[in-house]
């Protein structure tokens, strides 16, 4: 890494930390770029050299989280709910302070949208058998329902008192079993 | 209804319509109360006599939609996905212009959150058998997963060309069947 890149990375990290710090004490819409720059000890010019907006700062962190997820997801042999829950809940709980801030500020979609697109792309590349089995419309619907289920589960559990991957997995799984039962009673 | 109430209702409707009109041409965060009042042909004082914020205007419409949903939901004999999809997709498609504006502006949570609370309350009152069968934590998890599934499905289908309740029901059902299959392959 050259000196310029290292400097940019340092500024980006300082800016991200400043924004996350400010989000702990103020509501997201009211945080200004000047405040962030000041807390990060950088100029407004430096802010805008690195990011086009507040949202772009959060997206940098989100991209890293998605990248970590996908790199493991891509090596999963079986795409079942047990493996997905294990992986997803681990990543959420590892970054729980960040995800709490997203949920509190109704910004979880900043994660969900690119995450959905990344999973779609990853599956298109690595899991050809899924695309042979189902047409794309059906596959997207399965992904939407699954994503939504996880999203609302996370929204309702992120403020749990000692959240644990094991507890979340057990809860998610139990709910899924009941949904299966309801579904099997639904006239087709 | 007395004259004062009728006047208030007229103002509220004019304000709601003005906000929805403005949301068609501008992004929600940039719409001001003065703009809304001016388009509704009311004063800012009248606006604030009726609503405390822009969000409160949207919530009035949302409350009506939820009320309509719950009044039918409460009479459903069987809570299965077929009946829920029929009812929910009908109400979304009847109000599709409104829901498109919510989705475009990342405001669907303004509907989802009170809707979830209303369903929870309605079931607590009318469906004692559910609460005997499952403890409250489990029931909330089932509701979260279901809500999330419907929410993401709607986000991904609201801009379909010629959306139809029948098509949405078929798509949702098909995806649910596949999720059941994946789930039955998941080690418990």
């Amino acid at each position: 890494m050259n000196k310029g890149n290292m400097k940019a990375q340092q500024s980006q990290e300082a800016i991200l930390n400043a924004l996350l710090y400010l989000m702990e004490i103020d509501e997201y819409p009211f945080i200004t770029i000047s405040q962030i720059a000041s807390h990060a000890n950088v100029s407004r010019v430096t802010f805008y050299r690195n990011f086009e907006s507040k949202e772009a700062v959060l997206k940098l962190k989100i991209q890293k989280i998605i990248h970590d997820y996908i790199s493991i997801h891509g090596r999963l042999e079986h795409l079942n709910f047990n493996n997905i829950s294990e992986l997803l809940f681990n990543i959420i709980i590892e970054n729980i302070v960040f995800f709490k801030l997203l949920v509190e500020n109704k910004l979880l979609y900043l994660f969900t949208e690119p995450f959905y697109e990344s999973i779609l792309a990853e599956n298109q590349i690595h899991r050809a058998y899924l695309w042979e089995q189902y047409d794309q419309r059906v596959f997207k619907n399965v992904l939407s329902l699954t994503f939504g289920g996880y999203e609302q589960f996370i929204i309702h559990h992120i403020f749990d008192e000692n959240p644990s991957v094991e507890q979340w997995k057990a809860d998610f799984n139990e709910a899924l079993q009941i949904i299966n039962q309801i579904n099997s009673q639904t006239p087709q």
Side-chain angles (χ1 to χ4, degrees), chain A:
Chain A
M1 193 180 288
N2 67 38
K3 253 191 172 172
N5 278 349
M6 212 158 83
K7 189 120 203 299
Q9 207 179 7
Q10 280 172 355
S11 302
Q12 286 170 5
E13 271 174 34
I15 288 166
L16 173 63
N17 290 334
L19 174 55
L20 296 182
Y21 169 78
L22 290 165
M23 284 172 78
E24 299 268 4
I25 51 177
D26 204 355
E27 280 179 68
Y28 179 75
F30 303 117
I31 299 170
T32 64
I33 305 297
S34 301
Q35 272 180 300
I36 301 169
S38 151
H39 274 269
N41 255 322
V42 302
S43 65
R44 277 173 59 93
V45 172
T46 302
F47 181 97
Y48 282 113
R49 201 185 297 129
N50 287 281
F51 299 106
E52 63 177 10
S53 63
K54 269 188 292 186
E55 217 176 88
V57 181
L58 296 177
K59 280 183 179 166
L60 179 74
K61 167 96 177 157
I62 286 167
Q63 284 308 332
K64 282 183 194 160
I65 294 173
I66 292 175
H67 178 268
D68 288 350
Y69 180 95
I70 294 286
S71 72
I72 307 175
H73 179 96
R75 297 195 301 267
L76 282 182
E77 205 173 325
H78 299 292
L79 272 195
N80 57 40
F81 285 110
N82 202 50
N83 292 343
I84 295 170
S85 294
E86 175 79 26
L87 183 51
L88 180 61
F89 293 155
N90 256 308
I91 278 189
I92 300 289
I93 289 180
E94 270 168 27
N95 295 284
I96 196 146
V97 175
F98 180 67
F99 280 104
K100 277 184 185 175
L101 290 173
L102 292 185
V103 171
E104 274 170 345
N105 287 285
K106 315 291 181 197
L107 294 171
L108 192 58
Y109 72 89
L110 289 178
F111 172 72
T112 316
E113 285 180 4
F115 188 43
Y116 174 92
E117 294 304 330
S118 301
I119 295 282
L120 208 60
E122 201 275 333
N123 285 333
Q124 273 170 319
I125 296 165
H126 293 296
R127 299 188 192 269
Y129 67 93
L130 285 173
W131 297 91
E132 286 160 17
Q133 212 171 336
Y134 309 117
D135 81 21
Q136 190 163 327
R137 181 179 173 91
V138 174
F139 188 71
K140 283 185 176 176
N141 287 333
V142 172
L143 217 54
S144 299
L145 262 63
T146 308
F147 255 72
Y150 277 114
E151 189 179 26
Q152 282 294 328
F153 182 87
I154 290 163
I155 289 173
H156 283 98
H157 283 278
I158 194 106
F159 300 105
D160 280 1
E161 246 178 272
N162 303 312
S164 94
V165 171
E166 284 312 311
Q167 183 63 51
W168 282 11
K169 273 175 66 179
D171 284 348
F172 190 87
N173 208 38
E174 188 177 14
L176 210 51
Q177 298 303 321
I178 295 171
I179 288 173
N180 276 11
Q181 284 169 28
I182 299 171
N183 192 27
S184 64
Q185 291 155 13
T186 298
Q188 303 305 324

